[in-house]
mmCIF file of all heavy atoms in Angstrom:
data_model
loop_
_atom_site.group_PDB
_atom_site.id
_atom_site.type_symbol
_atom_site.label_atom_id
_atom_site.label_comp_id
_atom_site.label_asym_id
_atom_site.label_seq_id
_atom_site.Cartn_x
_atom_site.Cartn_y
_atom_site.Cartn_z
ATOM 1 N N VAL A 52 100.377 99.073 113.133
ATOM 2 C CA VAL A 52 99.428 99.613 114.074
ATOM 3 C C VAL A 52 98.868 98.434 114.931
ATOM 4 O O VAL A 52 98.411 97.461 114.395
ATOM 5 C CB VAL A 52 98.265 100.280 113.363
ATOM 6 C CG1 VAL A 52 97.231 100.809 114.349
ATOM 7 C CG2 VAL A 52 98.758 101.417 112.449
ATOM 8 N N ASN A 53 98.981 98.584 116.253
ATOM 9 C CA ASN A 53 98.549 97.555 117.154
ATOM 10 C C ASN A 53 97.241 97.990 117.878
ATOM 11 O O ASN A 53 97.294 98.910 118.633
ATOM 12 C CB ASN A 53 99.618 97.240 118.209
ATOM 13 C CG ASN A 53 100.830 96.629 117.540
ATOM 14 O OD1 ASN A 53 100.764 95.467 117.091
ATOM 15 N ND2 ASN A 53 101.930 97.313 117.488
ATOM 16 N N GLY A 54 96.167 97.301 117.575
ATOM 17 C CA GLY A 54 94.898 97.576 118.234
ATOM 18 C C GLY A 54 93.955 98.369 117.345
ATOM 19 O O GLY A 54 94.333 99.222 116.561
ATOM 20 N N VAL A 55 92.649 98.124 117.489
ATOM 21 C CA VAL A 55 91.639 98.811 116.654
ATOM 22 C C VAL A 55 91.533 100.248 117.005
ATOM 23 O O VAL A 55 91.339 101.093 116.109
ATOM 24 C CB VAL A 55 90.281 98.077 116.737
ATOM 25 C CG1 VAL A 55 89.650 98.238 118.074
ATOM 26 C CG2 VAL A 55 89.387 98.542 115.589
ATOM 27 N N GLU A 56 91.733 100.664 118.243
ATOM 28 C CA GLU A 56 91.637 102.079 118.602
ATOM 29 C C GLU A 56 92.714 102.925 117.892
ATOM 30 O O GLU A 56 92.376 103.989 117.313
ATOM 31 C CB GLU A 56 91.614 102.251 120.125
ATOM 32 C CG GLU A 56 90.383 101.675 120.789
ATOM 33 C CD GLU A 56 89.066 102.191 120.263
ATOM 34 O OE1 GLU A 56 88.988 103.392 119.905
ATOM 35 O OE2 GLU A 56 88.112 101.422 120.197
ATOM 36 N N PRO A 57 93.991 102.558 117.945
ATOM 37 C CA PRO A 57 94.955 103.314 117.191
ATOM 38 C C PRO A 57 94.726 103.324 115.658
ATOM 39 O O PRO A 57 94.988 104.306 114.990
ATOM 40 C CB PRO A 57 96.290 102.613 117.522
ATOM 41 C CG PRO A 57 96.058 101.988 118.848
ATOM 42 C CD PRO A 57 94.626 101.525 118.808
ATOM 43 N N LEU A 58 94.157 102.203 115.169
ATOM 44 C CA LEU A 58 93.833 102.141 113.747
ATOM 45 C C LEU A 58 92.738 103.166 113.429
ATOM 46 O O LEU A 58 92.827 103.927 112.440
ATOM 47 C CB LEU A 58 93.329 100.736 113.368
ATOM 48 C CG LEU A 58 92.941 100.543 111.925
ATOM 49 C CD1 LEU A 58 94.086 100.736 110.959
ATOM 50 C CD2 LEU A 58 92.303 99.172 111.731
ATOM 51 N N ILE A 59 91.725 103.237 114.290
ATOM 52 C CA ILE A 59 90.624 104.244 114.085
ATOM 53 C C ILE A 59 91.191 105.646 114.146
ATOM 54 O O ILE A 59 90.868 106.515 113.357
ATOM 55 C CB ILE A 59 89.545 103.967 115.132
ATOM 56 C CG1 ILE A 59 88.750 102.721 114.792
ATOM 57 C CG2 ILE A 59 88.581 105.203 115.202
ATOM 58 C CD1 ILE A 59 87.821 102.292 115.917
ATOM 59 N N GLU A 60 92.079 105.865 115.106
ATOM 60 C CA GLU A 60 92.688 107.243 115.276
ATOM 61 C C GLU A 60 93.493 107.598 114.024
ATOM 62 O O GLU A 60 93.408 108.711 113.528
ATOM 63 C CB GLU A 60 93.614 107.223 116.496
ATOM 64 C CG GLU A 60 94.280 108.561 116.746
ATOM 65 C CD GLU A 60 95.191 108.524 117.940
ATOM 66 O OE1 GLU A 60 95.185 107.559 118.724
ATOM 67 O OE2 GLU A 60 96.008 109.469 118.121
ATOM 68 N N ALA A 61 94.218 106.634 113.466
ATOM 69 C CA ALA A 61 95.016 106.892 112.231
ATOM 70 C C ALA A 61 94.062 107.243 111.095
ATOM 71 O O ALA A 61 94.374 108.102 110.276
ATOM 72 C CB ALA A 61 95.882 105.700 111.900
ATOM 73 N N MET A 62 92.959 106.545 110.971
ATOM 74 C CA MET A 62 92.011 106.825 109.881
ATOM 75 C C MET A 62 91.409 108.236 110.067
ATOM 76 O O MET A 62 91.314 108.944 109.077
ATOM 77 C CB MET A 62 90.904 105.811 109.868
ATOM 78 C CG MET A 62 91.391 104.460 109.391
ATOM 79 S SD MET A 62 90.030 103.275 109.415
ATOM 80 C CE MET A 62 90.748 101.993 108.384
ATOM 81 N N HIS A 63 91.046 108.632 111.299
ATOM 82 C CA HIS A 63 90.571 109.991 111.517
ATOM 83 C C HIS A 63 91.606 111.006 111.084
ATOM 84 O O HIS A 63 91.311 112.007 110.398
ATOM 85 C CB HIS A 63 90.220 110.173 112.998
ATOM 86 C CG HIS A 63 88.844 109.691 113.342
ATOM 87 N ND1 HIS A 63 87.682 110.286 112.977
ATOM 88 C CD2 HIS A 63 88.475 108.629 114.166
ATOM 89 C CE1 HIS A 63 86.646 109.660 113.438
ATOM 90 N NE2 HIS A 63 87.068 108.624 114.174
ATOM 91 N N ASN A 64 92.860 110.762 111.464
ATOM 92 C CA ASN A 64 93.946 111.682 111.164
ATOM 93 C C ASN A 64 94.257 111.800 109.706
ATOM 94 O O ASN A 64 94.435 112.891 109.161
ATOM 95 C CB ASN A 64 95.244 111.314 111.913
ATOM 96 C CG ASN A 64 95.189 111.565 113.405
ATOM 97 O OD1 ASN A 64 94.406 112.437 113.843
ATOM 98 N ND2 ASN A 64 95.980 110.853 114.122
ATOM 99 N N ASN A 65 94.296 110.684 108.971
ATOM 100 C CA ASN A 65 94.687 110.655 107.603
ATOM 101 C C ASN A 65 93.610 110.876 106.584
ATOM 102 O O ASN A 65 93.898 111.378 105.464
ATOM 103 C CB ASN A 65 95.434 109.299 107.273
ATOM 104 C CG ASN A 65 96.707 109.163 108.081
ATOM 105 O OD1 ASN A 65 97.443 110.160 108.230
ATOM 106 N ND2 ASN A 65 96.986 107.990 108.540
ATOM 107 N N LEU A 66 92.391 110.563 106.951
ATOM 108 C CA LEU A 66 91.281 110.631 105.972
ATOM 109 C C LEU A 66 90.126 111.466 106.464
ATOM 110 O O LEU A 66 89.185 111.774 105.680
ATOM 111 C CB LEU A 66 90.733 109.232 105.653
ATOM 112 C CG LEU A 66 91.782 108.232 105.128
ATOM 113 C CD1 LEU A 66 91.151 106.848 105.016
ATOM 114 C CD2 LEU A 66 92.324 108.661 103.802
ATOM 115 N N GLY A 67 90.110 111.814 107.748
ATOM 116 C CA GLY A 67 88.943 112.481 108.334
ATOM 117 C C GLY A 67 89.008 114.025 108.302
ATOM 118 O O GLY A 67 89.760 114.632 107.581
ATOM 119 N N ALA A 68 88.162 114.633 109.142
ATOM 120 C CA ALA A 68 88.034 116.082 109.201
ATOM 121 C C ALA A 68 89.425 116.696 109.475
ATOM 122 O O ALA A 68 90.140 116.210 110.381
ATOM 123 C CB ALA A 68 87.015 116.457 110.243
ATOM 124 N N GLY A 69 89.767 117.735 108.753
ATOM 125 C CA GLY A 69 91.025 118.384 108.946
ATOM 126 C C GLY A 69 92.170 117.849 108.164
ATOM 127 O O GLY A 69 93.275 118.390 108.150
ATOM 128 N N SER A 70 91.929 116.730 107.458
ATOM 129 C CA SER A 70 92.995 116.124 106.610
ATOM 130 C C SER A 70 92.926 116.721 105.228
ATOM 131 O O SER A 70 92.035 117.557 104.949
ATOM 132 C CB SER A 70 92.786 114.599 106.563
ATOM 133 O OG SER A 70 91.713 114.242 105.712
ATOM 134 N N ASN A 71 93.849 116.303 104.388
ATOM 135 C CA ASN A 71 93.830 116.669 102.977
ATOM 136 C C ASN A 71 92.920 115.871 102.116
ATOM 137 O O ASN A 71 92.830 116.021 100.908
ATOM 138 C CB ASN A 71 95.255 116.528 102.397
ATOM 139 C CG ASN A 71 96.236 117.513 102.988
ATOM 140 O OD1 ASN A 71 95.909 118.669 103.233
ATOM 141 N ND2 ASN A 71 97.421 117.053 103.249
ATOM 142 N N CYS A 72 92.120 114.942 102.762
ATOM 143 C CA CYS A 72 91.338 113.961 102.047
ATOM 144 C C CYS A 72 89.872 114.326 102.091
ATOM 145 O O CYS A 72 89.256 114.387 103.183
ATOM 146 C CB CYS A 72 91.594 112.562 102.612
ATOM 147 S SG CYS A 72 90.830 111.251 101.667
ATOM 148 N N GLY A 73 89.292 114.494 100.913
ATOM 149 C CA GLY A 73 87.855 114.755 100.829
ATOM 150 C C GLY A 73 87.140 113.441 100.547
ATOM 151 O O GLY A 73 87.529 112.374 101.169
ATOM 152 N N PRO A 74 86.188 113.352 99.721
ATOM 153 C CA PRO A 74 85.435 112.161 99.377
ATOM 154 C C PRO A 74 86.395 111.050 98.883
ATOM 155 O O PRO A 74 87.393 111.323 98.240
ATOM 156 C CB PRO A 74 84.462 112.567 98.294
ATOM 157 C CG PRO A 74 84.348 114.037 98.455
ATOM 158 C CD PRO A 74 85.671 114.527 98.924
ATOM 159 N N THR A 75 86.032 109.813 99.198
ATOM 160 C CA THR A 75 86.777 108.642 98.751
ATOM 161 C C THR A 75 85.837 107.631 98.193
ATOM 162 O O THR A 75 84.628 107.655 98.431
ATOM 163 C CB THR A 75 87.559 107.949 99.935
ATOM 164 O OG1 THR A 75 86.605 107.460 100.898
ATOM 165 C CG2 THR A 75 88.540 108.946 100.599
ATOM 166 N N HIS A 76 86.395 106.696 97.444
ATOM 167 C CA HIS A 76 85.602 105.568 96.936
ATOM 168 C C HIS A 76 86.495 104.317 96.964
ATOM 169 O O HIS A 76 87.525 104.250 96.224
ATOM 170 C CB HIS A 76 85.089 105.864 95.520
ATOM 171 C CG HIS A 76 84.143 104.814 95.019
ATOM 172 N ND1 HIS A 76 82.827 104.753 95.466
ATOM 173 C CD2 HIS A 76 84.307 103.772 94.207
ATOM 174 C CE1 HIS A 76 82.244 103.690 94.894
ATOM 175 N NE2 HIS A 76 83.154 103.102 94.105
ATOM 176 N N HIS A 77 86.163 103.405 97.798
ATOM 177 C CA HIS A 77 86.917 102.122 97.941
ATOM 178 C C HIS A 77 86.200 100.962 97.373
ATOM 179 O O HIS A 77 84.967 100.859 97.569
ATOM 180 C CB HIS A 77 87.243 101.881 99.429
ATOM 181 C CG HIS A 77 88.245 102.842 100.007
ATOM 182 N ND1 HIS A 77 87.983 104.159 100.219
ATOM 183 C CD2 HIS A 77 89.543 102.641 100.424
ATOM 184 C CE1 HIS A 77 89.045 104.735 100.691
ATOM 185 N NE2 HIS A 77 89.964 103.813 100.845
ATOM 186 N N ASN A 78 86.899 100.071 96.695
ATOM 187 C CA ASN A 78 86.284 98.863 96.090
ATOM 188 C C ASN A 78 87.169 97.700 96.479
ATOM 189 O O ASN A 78 88.385 97.798 96.511
ATOM 190 C CB ASN A 78 86.279 98.972 94.598
ATOM 191 C CG ASN A 78 85.446 100.148 94.120
ATOM 192 O OD1 ASN A 78 84.217 100.024 94.011
ATOM 193 N ND2 ASN A 78 86.078 101.251 93.830
ATOM 194 N N VAL A 79 86.551 96.548 96.717
ATOM 195 C CA VAL A 79 87.277 95.254 96.962
ATOM 196 C C VAL A 79 86.761 94.249 95.964
ATOM 197 O O VAL A 79 85.599 94.240 95.568
ATOM 198 C CB VAL A 79 87.124 94.792 98.385
ATOM 199 C CG1 VAL A 79 87.962 95.590 99.363
ATOM 200 C CG2 VAL A 79 85.706 94.674 98.815
#
Side-chain angles (χ1 to χ4, degrees):
V52 179
N53 292 292
V55 71
E56 294 304 326
L58 179 65
I59 289 170
E60 181 181 347
M62 289 180 164
H63 277 290
N64 287 335
N65 295 321
L66 304 174
S70 74
N71 292 320
C72 189
T75 64
H76 188 76
H77 288 71
N78 299 276
V79 286

